[in-house]
Amino acid sequence: MTGRKETSVKEKEWYSFQVGNEISLPDGSHYFALTGPSGTKHLLPFEPYMAYGFIKGDKILCRVDKINCSGRIFLEPSHPFYKEGDEYEFSVLRNEIRTDVFGEKEFDWIVKDVFDNEIFMPIEEAFFQPVPEKINARVIRIKKGEILLRSAFSKQYIRQLKKGNWYSFTILSETKQENEKTFWILEDSFSGKHLLRKKHFDAYSLEIGKVVRCKAVKWNEAGHFLLEPAHPVYEEEKEYTFRVVPSKMNIPENEPDTNLDVTDIFGNEIRVSLTKANRLRGTENECLVLKVKEMKKGKPVLIWPD
């Protein structure tokens, strides 16, 4: 979901959007046009939600999944049938043994959702046979119209790591997923395997066989920890000098709170909140001293020093 910045929305909150026309772009991509709470126009990818039955003029609820540093918004429309956290009955079509993202054997039951989509649900090997006709499963997550399920038979993921702690990992190999995204495969000291999106850390000089320190940021519903490698230069809670990008200043006089952009050591542009109190401080200097709150996908999240 893309669009200009909605000034009144927050991540993980639900808002009403109005469905407009269907739009095809020159590259062949197809979208629903949406109008947000503040009148901002957005494009919602058509294919993941084509079965939702959207009609021009409909008011639909969407969750703001993410707002990135450039103000780009990613939405997830409310599913017309399923709700996250609720349990439903599903028909089981068959079972399959597949190879997972780490090249290891995975045992799956394939179930059918209300739109006849096939959902792969990893299960414990002990339950692989026989295959039941129906099961009860909980909807853990809905993303891009796809549902993630858990049942009493689901594969149990062991959380050896603790959120917020730092660990050493060995880079084992590189893998490309079905979505064409490339990842490093990392192994922790407990022999657990993890994925690390390669493109976010091109400047880190990572390579197979190298040992890298990473922070266990959070556990996701797919059974993996999100990892953030230690930055080659910046450390959390420390202050550094960043250069202001004059052409990217966004400082309307009628808005008390806005933002500006600075560049980090690798040339990445980082957006910084600019309030009325620090407006003069931000606009009259070529460089600013800012605090690194945390790292996110290889880029520092910056805040004003105390």
Side-chain angles (χ1 to χ4, degrees):
M1 171 65 196
T2 63
R4 301 192 306 276
K5 185 175 181 181
E6 286 278 1
T7 58
S8 59
V9 301
K10 297 180 180 179
E11 288 187 355
K12 309 308 177 185
E13 297 293 333
W14 291 86
Y15 301 92
S16 177
F17 289 76
Q18 184 167 16
V19 179
N21 295 319
E22 294 177 19
I23 296 175
S24 294
L25 299 184
D27 63 1
S29 56
H30 198 48
Y31 297 86
F32 293 105
L34 300 182
T35 302
S38 61
T40 304
K41 303 296 183 182
H42 302 266
L43 295 179
L44 180 71
F46 178 83
E47 187 173 356
Y49 310 105
M50 58 188 299
Y52 280 32
F54 295 153
I55 299 174
K56 183 178 178 180
D58 282 351
K59 294 286 185 70
I60 62 173
L61 282 177
C62 296
R63 182 182 63 220
V64 177
D65 271 357
K66 184 175 78 170
I67 304 173
N68 70 12
C69 59
S70 64
R72 184 179 177 184
I73 295 175
F74 297 82
L75 295 184
E76 186 63 41
S78 176
H79 197 285
F81 186 80
Y82 301 117
K83 183 179 179 181
E84 290 181 351
D86 286 354
E87 191 171 284
Y88 304 86
E89 184 180 76
F90 295 87
S91 295
V92 183
L93 302 177
R94 63 187 185 279
N95 61 357
E96 286 186 15
I97 300 176
R98 302 195 303 167
T99 301
D100 67 14
V101 294
F102 304 113
E104 299 174 346
K105 188 180 292 186
E106 178 180 277
F107 297 87
D108 292 290
W109 284 347
I110 295 85
V111 306
K112 181 175 65 173
D113 73 4
V114 70
F115 297 131
D116 291 331
N117 297 313
E118 293 188 354
I119 311 298
F120 283 78
M121 188 174 70
I123 63 163
E124 292 292 339
E125 183 180 359
F127 303 122
F128 188 62
Q129 298 278 15
V131 180
E133 291 186 3
K134 295 182 181 296
I135 60 164
N136 289 325
R138 190 176 305 278
V139 175
I140 301 300
R141 182 188 66 185
I142 303 174
K143 187 173 183 179
K144 296 181 181 179
E146 297 182 0
I147 60 174
L148 179 69
L149 300 175
R150 288 282 183 271
S151 78
F153 307 98
S154 292
K155 181 178 178 180
Q156 300 299 308
Y157 297 98
I158 300 175
R159 304 190 198 186
Q160 297 280 17
L161 312 182
K162 292 185 179 180
K163 178 181 175 181
N165 286 2
W166 290 83
Y167 301 90
S168 293
F169 299 82
T170 302
I171 302 176
L172 297 182
S173 60
E174 181 182 320
T175 183
K176 182 175 285 188
Q177 302 303 305
E178 294 178 358
N179 54 16
E180 296 302 310
K181 295 178 180 178
T182 305
F183 296 83
W184 293 114
I185 295 180
L186 276 57
E187 184 178 55
D188 61 35
S189 59
F190 307 102
S191 298
K193 304 291 194 307
H194 308 268
L195 292 177
L196 183 69
R197 183 78 183 277
K198 188 177 179 183
K199 80 167 189 175
H200 299 313
F201 308 101
D202 285 342
Y204 282 39
S205 301
L206 301 181
E207 58 186 28
I208 294 173
K210 190 171 183 176
V211 175
V212 58
R213 290 279 292 173
C214 296
K215 182 180 181 180
V217 179
K218 67 177 181 180
W219 176 263
N220 67 23
E221 300 91 339
H224 307 296
F225 261 104
L226 174 65
L227 302 178
E228 186 69 40
H231 195 279
V233 175
Y234 304 127
E235 295 182 35
E236 294 179 358
E237 297 301 318
K238 289 191 176 182
E239 297 176 9
Y240 302 88
T241 300
F242 297 87
R243 183 171 295 276
V244 176
V245 184
S247 62
K248 291 297 185 69
M249 285 187 183
N250 178 17
I251 313 174
E253 290 298 328
N254 60 340
E255 290 189 18
D257 296 343
T258 180
N259 51 66
L260 57 75
D261 291 329
V262 299
T263 55
D264 69 5
I265 195 169
F266 295 131
N268 297 309
E269 293 187 358
I270 314 298
R271 184 144 292 181
V272 183
S273 175
L274 189 65
T275 65
K276 189 174 182 178
N278 56 37
R279 180 189 298 267
L280 185 63
R281 182 174 162 197
T283 57
E284 289 195 342
N285 294 280
E286 292 184 359
C287 294
L288 295 173
V289 175
L290 299 166
K291 181 186 288 188
V292 175
K293 178 182 178 182
E294 60 184 347
M295 300 300 302
K296 191 173 183 179
K297 297 180 180 178
K299 298 180 182 180
V301 177
L302 302 176
I303 57 176
W304 293 89
D306 299 332

